[in-house]
Amino acid sequence: MKLTNKHGLPATIINVLKRPQYSKGNAHISVTELISSPRIVQLRRRHWDDIEEDASEMVWSLFGSALHNILQHGKDDHHIVEERLFKEFDGWTVSGAIDLQELGPEGITISDYKCTSVWSVMNEKMDWQRQLNLYAWLVESAKRMPVSALQIVAILRDWSAREADVKEGYPQSPIVVVSIPLWP
């Protein structure tokens, strides 16, 4: 991918964006690719060197990465953080990096951190269900451990205290835990 800097952002920001931390490991496909449009995944792979994105458009993904790094330091003895799991399925290796696994008496609670908009927690996001249920499948099949609950920990970048006071159904906090249905 070609990274542009149309707004003259500082070199430190550009350098971080040029050094992405994400890797799907030695897998054919990641969970996030699996829930995406197959056409988009193939086109991105085929034309990766032709894609151009400006650094200024990547601010929220940079913020999300920083948030993940910070939240790793909140780990307790019964937490597993940022574990990448792999599972072979029909000749394909599928991988997924799970932000947080909390070990409990009934099984594992899987949490995924999202730096997102208020709209995302006020409206159902099927991609969240797909992603977390695939993580549950990875945990249960690769680790042979039961999953008891799924949740999104949403940090709302556009949250407003005023809107929380006046708008029905508006989140009452800039951090919201959203329960995700666990599929059979």
Side-chain angles (χ1 to χ4, degrees):
M1 183 177 73
K2 299 173 189 171
L3 181 66
T4 61
N5 187 8
K6 296 175 183 173
H7 300 283
L9 300 179
T12 52
I13 292 174
I14 303 305
N15 291 341
V16 164
L17 293 172
K18 284 181 179 177
R19 302 174 189 145
Q21 301 297 310
Y22 176 80
S23 168
K24 66 182 172 196
N26 193 19
H28 293 102
I29 194 162
S30 69
V31 165
T32 51
E33 289 175 316
L34 198 54
I35 65 172
S36 183
S37 159
R39 182 174 289 177
I40 290 172
V41 171
Q42 286 302 320
L43 287 170
R44 283 183 72 82
R45 286 180 180 181
R46 189 173 301 146
H47 298 286
W48 182 254
D49 292 335
D50 302 322
I51 296 172
E52 186 176 291
E53 191 167 5
D54 192 68
S56 64
E57 298 167 1
M58 300 173 76
V59 65
W60 294 116
S61 67
L62 180 63
F63 185 78
S65 296
L67 182 69
H68 277 80
N69 286 334
I70 291 167
L71 291 175
Q72 286 183 55
H73 298 291
K75 175 183 170 183
D76 283 338
D77 291 339
H78 63 285
H79 292 159
I80 300 168
V81 297
E82 297 295 334
E83 181 180 32
R84 178 162 293 282
L85 297 176
F86 298 87
K87 182 65 181 168
E88 189 79 22
F89 182 79
D90 201 25
W92 285 67
T93 302
V94 179
S95 80
I98 302 170
D99 295 343
L100 175 64
Q101 298 169 67
E102 294 180 70
L103 308 174
E106 302 297 316
I108 294 175
T109 297
I110 295 175
S111 298
D112 192 66
Y113 303 124
K114 302 283 187 199
C115 180
T116 189
S117 67
V118 168
W119 185 92
S120 293
V121 298
M122 292 181 70
N123 297 278
E124 185 177 33
K125 294 208 43 149
M126 282 305 296
D127 278 353
W128 289 358
Q129 282 193 40
R130 292 180 187 106
Q131 180 184 7
L132 268 68
N133 277 281
L134 279 168
Y135 287 162
W137 171 77
L138 278 171
V139 167
E140 290 178 346
S141 59
K143 296 175 79 170
R144 305 274 184 231
M145 298 176 76
V147 173
S148 57
L150 305 173
Q151 61 188 21
I152 296 290
V153 179
I155 291 88
L156 307 176
R157 60 183 180 241
D158 58 349
W159 184 82
S160 163
R162 182 185 170 287
E163 293 291 318
D165 285 342
V166 299
K167 190 180 273 187
E168 186 177 332
Y170 195 91
Q172 296 300 298
S173 168
I175 301 175
V176 178
V177 177
V178 179
S179 293
I180 301 295
L182 181 59
W183 298 343

